Amino acid sequence: MNLRPPFGSARVASEDRAGAILTVDLKALVENWRILKKRARPGCDVGAVVKANAYGLGLEPVARALTQAGCSTFYVAHLDGAIALRHIVGPGPRIACLNGPNRGTERDHVAFRIMPVLSTPEHVAAWRTYALKEEVLLESIVQVDTGMNRLGLSEKEFVQLMGDADGFVGLHPQMLLSHLACGDEPGHDMNRQQRDRFIARLGEFRTRFPDAKGSLANSAGLLLGPEWHFDYARPGIALYGGNPFVSGANPMLPVAYLRARIIQVRRVDTPGMVGYGAAARVGEGAKLATVSMGYADGFLRSLGQKGVGLLDGLKVPVVGRVSMDLITFDITNVSESAARPGNFIEILGATQTVDQLSAQAGTASYEILTSLGDRFHRRYLPA
Ligand SMILES: *Cc1c(COP(=O)(O)O)cnc(C)c1O
């Protein structure tokens, strides 16, 4: 054995070294994209939102699988994500950068053919100045606010720019975009209101740019029905298996499977307390399993005393607080053969879904997925 530097790489496989294993089913991901495509109005381009490292599941494998399936429009939040994506998918696919161009980044948008989403008068002015100075044709997307007050030109700003003959000069907007605030609640009034406002703005916009396309729907918007689809749909969470609606059956297939390794199994011989803060009490005879995963891996601390795992088909509750690298579960009812160090407790899967876990944590599936850490062994099942 060589115990001196250089030590070389680890001898044991990554999956045997890791505390937890994240499996991403790329076949299910692609199938989810196809399910959405079938639901979409004919002619509507169904793209993929791959911001935040493809919702925590890995930009590269996700983007490759979707590109191979025929997806040709991608949406990311930041320019760095967009550039990374361009290297992955090659020159063909459209890439839109949702958070817009930071000052001075126009050159990189042009070099990597990234379409910025222009959401403020400052974005529009900077893009116009650059286009006129460089005399280049720069494609872009214009975002209008239709009721969310988060990002996008207000009605007043939009009208002002439309009224100014030079307002949009130099811009070659391919698309007018807006975002739904309450798409996940199908009965919410906002959905209809935002759609009607969007139709009005798109109509005005097309008096200047007759070929401009419209894009309003996220995952939930796609499932609301064809009146919300327009020309480009931007699903995210549904691709990754999350339920786009706050309640009701989930039409999507699970994509992420996460299991954490049991390090210690303890039969409690004296009644006592568990974990930091001595926040939970256990009685004699209780059986506890501590796994090699914690809030540093995205198992949110708010799941303390609330989260549930699955072992040998049985639900096992979290006991006490979640530590940075450890979680203790009550496995009293689990058989001897399953309750062994080296076995795994299922954290996410087909029966313990990302929506269930997020409900236990009091958050949204989005936060569970995008919190997933980088200490897992990641396994990708091919599309
Ligand atoms: C994140 C995002 C989406 C995707 O939303 P999902 O609810 O995950 O489908 C679409 N459009 C914009 C502007 C977004 O920020």
Side-chain angles (χ1 to χ4, degrees):
M1 216 199 289
N2 179 10
L3 294 174
R4 268 170 305 214
F7 295 110
S9 46
R11 273 61 170 174
V12 174
S14 143
E15 97 172 79
D16 294 326
R17 304 192 310 265
I21 297 175
L22 176 68
T23 303
V24 178
D25 185 349
L26 295 172
K27 187 179 262 179
L29 169 92
V30 164
E31 189 52 32
N32 284 339
W33 181 72
R34 295 209 173 101
I35 290 172
L36 296 173
K37 219 170 139 55
K38 271 190 212 121
R39 296 269 192 123
R41 192 179 65 77
C44 173
D45 175 282
V46 176
V49 179
V50 292
K51 60 194 182 193
N53 194 28
Y55 287 48
L57 297 186
L59 178 65
E60 180 159 354
V62 163
R64 278 195 202 291
L66 289 170
T67 307
Q68 264 171 25
C71 177
S72 59
T73 311
F74 292 93
Y75 305 84
V76 296
H78 301 278
L79 182 56
D80 274 343
I83 292 173
L85 182 60
R86 180 57 78 206
H87 287 296
I88 295 165
V89 298
R94 260 176 233 101
I95 300 177
C97 182
L98 293 168
N99 283 14
N102 289 354
R103 192 184 287 272
T105 59
E106 293 86 359
R107 282 187 305 166
D108 275 333
H109 284 79
V110 175
F112 293 96
R113 213 166 58 71
I114 311 299
M115 295 162 86
V117 177
L118 308 175
S119 295
T120 66
E122 292 81 10
H123 282 161
V124 172
W127 201 250
R128 180 176 59 213
T129 304
Y130 188 80
L132 296 180
K133 190 175 92 204
E134 301 295 321
E135 297 180 19
V136 286
L137 192 150
L138 308 179
E139 296 188 342
S140 64
I141 298 171
V142 172
Q143 176 164 211
V144 289
D145 183 68
T146 50
M148 200 173 182
N149 277 312
R150 187 179 69 168
L151 203 55
L153 298 171
S154 71
E155 180 167 16
K156 202 167 150 196
E157 290 166 340
F158 179 73
V159 167
Q160 211 154 33
L161 282 165
M162 286 295 290
D164 177 352
D166 291 336
F168 287 117
V169 77
L171 270 68
H172 293 269
Q174 307 293 299
M175 186 190 311
L176 193 73
L177 178 151
S178 195
H179 193 52
L180 294 170
C182 306
D184 57 351
E185 297 174 61
H188 205 292
D189 281 349
M190 281 288 281
N191 295 325
R192 210 158 275 277
Q193 282 171 23
Q194 286 194 272
R195 185 205 55 189
D196 291 347
R197 284 186 201 131
F198 188 67
I199 290 173
R201 305 276 161 82
L202 187 58
E204 287 167 60
F205 202 58
R206 282 179 176 157
T207 62
R208 180 79 61 83
F209 304 104
D211 297 330
K213 309 290 190 215
S215 178
L216 179 62
N218 60 345
S219 303
L222 249 173
L223 300 182
L224 285 178
E227 301 152 71
W228 278 268
H229 292 178
F230 297 90
D231 306 298
Y232 284 92
R234 314 183 305 269
I237 194 69
L239 298 172
Y240 309 106
N243 191 346
F245 292 141
V246 282
S247 58
N250 185 2
M252 314 317 299
L253 305 171
V255 173
Y257 295 79
L258 179 59
R259 47 204 191 102
R261 188 187 307 271
I262 299 174
I263 319 176
Q264 172 190 285
V265 172
R266 150 132 341 138
R267 175 70 78 173
V268 177
D269 48 25
T270 322
M273 314 306 286
V274 180
Y276 280 125
R281 179 179 296 279
V282 282
E284 189 184 332
K287 199 162 33 170
L288 303 175
T290 298
V291 302
S292 187
M293 179 178 170
Y295 60 74
D297 301 296
F299 193 91
L300 303 180
R301 198 166 173 280
S302 56
L303 286 162
Q305 297 280 68
K306 293 204 186 86
V308 173
L310 213 61
L311 182 57
D312 201 24
L314 294 177
K315 287 189 172 172
V316 292
V318 173
V319 197
R321 292 188 188 161
V322 174
S323 303
M324 185 188 293
D325 317 298
L326 299 166
I327 315 163
T328 302
F329 290 89
D330 183 338
I331 59 161
T332 305
N333 299 325
V334 174
S335 72
E336 287 299 324
S337 62
R340 286 207 184 121
N343 286 354
F344 288 84
I345 292 187
E346 187 180 324
I347 306 295
L348 284 177
T351 36
Q352 163 78 347
T353 66
V354 65
D355 291 290
Q356 283 169 316
L357 193 66
S358 64
Q360 290 156 14
T363 182
S365 56
Y366 300 77
E367 192 180 16
I368 296 286
L369 289 179
T370 58
S371 299
L372 290 174
D374 53 14
R375 297 195 292 191
F376 309 132
H377 171 73
R378 287 177 178 239
R379 181 187 289 157
Y380 290 89
L381 303 181

